[in-house]
Amino acid sequence: QKEVEQDPGPLSVPEGAIVSLNCTYSNSAFQYFMWYRQYSRKGPELLMYTYSSGNKEDGRFTAQVDKSSKYISLFIRDSQPSDSATYLCAMIGPSTGGSYIPTFGRGTSLIVHP
Amino acid sequence: DAGVIQSPRHEVTEMGQEVTLRCKPISGHDYLFWYRQTMMRGLELLIYFNNNVPIDDSGMPEDRFSAKMPNASFSTLKIQPSEPRDSAVYFCASSLRKTGLIGAGNTIYFGEGSWLTVV
């Protein structure tokens, strides 16, 4: 079992829909939780990050962490065709040597059609 | 800032040939990472450097892969000899200070990738 599991999709939704993207993880030591967005033929870029459990909102995006269930989510409200991309979750926790290198999920491909 | 710059963007090579991928990190960043991305395995960390010194190369798949960072503004990832299963997108990324210290300027910044096809 991988440390971080993420359904690769694709997830196809109509414009305006609420999108829910999710990751599960097995390492209870993870402390920081991030979502990266990757457009086609581009590198990933940080979208949001949260520390420990709880919610964080940024415009149409809400990141949610449930450490008790080892489950994180990214919600996108009023989805737009420009949100079409691959969304990768990433997590950081103490590791050997204290390096704090993120562990990435495989990414979920999101398609928002007009 | 120009961001992380990688070259070449695309490379098609024959099996057995040497491949060299190049990276210029963001100026002032002291961590440099090499990742490989495939549909099957997602984004995998191959190796990372801190202040030009390799810290962890446990992700390098085999001895055919090597990476160097001769100075703070340049790194290479070399595959010799290349094989078809090496076909993937290779990303270079850089960050400032330890990535565990999340905050402005501490995130990992990725380049646009080098798309490698070995036939």
Side-chain angles (χ1 to χ4, degrees):
Chain A
Q1 181 190 12
K2 292 184 63 121
E3 272 193 303
V4 179
E5 298 281 356
Q6 186 176 12
D7 186 336
L11 177 63
S12 182
V13 301
E15 182 176 354
I18 296 175
V19 175
S20 173
L21 304 167
N22 311 293
C23 288
T24 59
Y25 62 95
S26 57
N27 186 349
S28 57
F30 285 139
Q31 298 171 323
Y32 295 95
F33 304 88
M34 298 161 286
W35 287 95
Y36 280 76
R37 179 174 58 195
Q38 184 177 17
Y39 289 116
S40 179
R41 309 192 77 79
K42 298 289 187 181
E45 56 181 355
L46 182 66
L47 183 62
M48 294 183 70
Y49 68 87
T50 56
Y51 173 70
S52 195
S53 287
N55 292 0
K56 183 174 183 178
E57 190 173 317
D58 184 1
R60 296 183 296 109
F61 298 87
T62 299
Q64 191 173 80
V65 175
D66 181 350
K67 291 191 74 178
S68 62
S69 300
K70 297 190 181 68
Y71 189 88
I72 70 169
S73 300
L74 178 70
F75 298 97
I76 307 175
R77 292 185 300 279
D78 187 26
S79 57
Q80 302 295 310
S82 58
D83 295 328
S84 298
T86 296
Y87 291 80
L88 298 93
C89 62
M91 308 176 186
I92 293 179
S95 59
T96 302
S99 58
Y100 291 96
I101 300 301
T103 300
F104 284 87
R106 283 180 56 190
T108 298
S109 175
L110 172 67
I111 302 167
V112 182
H113 51 86
Chain B
D1 199 322
V4 177
I5 299 173
Q6 292 186 244
S7 65
R9 287 297 315 278
H10 298 90
E11 173 123 356
V12 180
T13 190
E14 291 186 347
M15 181 175 63
Q17 296 298 305
E18 178 178 291
V19 174
T20 299
L21 307 178
R22 299 172 178 79
C23 175
K24 177 179 168 57
I26 293 173
S27 177
H29 282 190
D30 52 359
Y31 279 79
L32 183 138
F33 308 84
W34 281 101
Y35 286 89
R36 177 173 68 177
Q37 187 176 42
T38 61
M39 290 291 290
M40 288 299 296
R41 301 173 69 89
L43 198 63
E44 301 174 281
L45 177 64
L46 300 177
I47 185 172
Y48 76 94
F49 296 81
N50 176 217
N51 291 322
N52 313 339
V53 176
I55 302 300
D56 185 352
D57 66 354
S58 60
M60 297 285 260
E62 45 197 280
D63 292 345
R64 297 184 297 106
F65 286 69
S66 62
K68 294 182 179 179
M69 191 166 186
N71 57 63
S73 59
F74 184 68
S75 177
T76 60
L77 178 68
K78 188 173 293 188
I79 308 172
Q80 167 63 19
S82 58
E83 296 182 3
R85 60 194 168 120
D86 301 330
S87 298
V89 185
Y90 290 82
F91 287 103
C92 177
S94 68
S95 73
L96 180 64
R97 297 191 291 275
K98 288 186 177 183
T99 59
L101 302 175
I102 296 295
N106 293 121
T107 190
I108 291 179
Y109 293 87
F110 286 81
E112 296 202 329
S114 291
W115 297 71
L116 174 65
T117 302
V118 183
V119 298

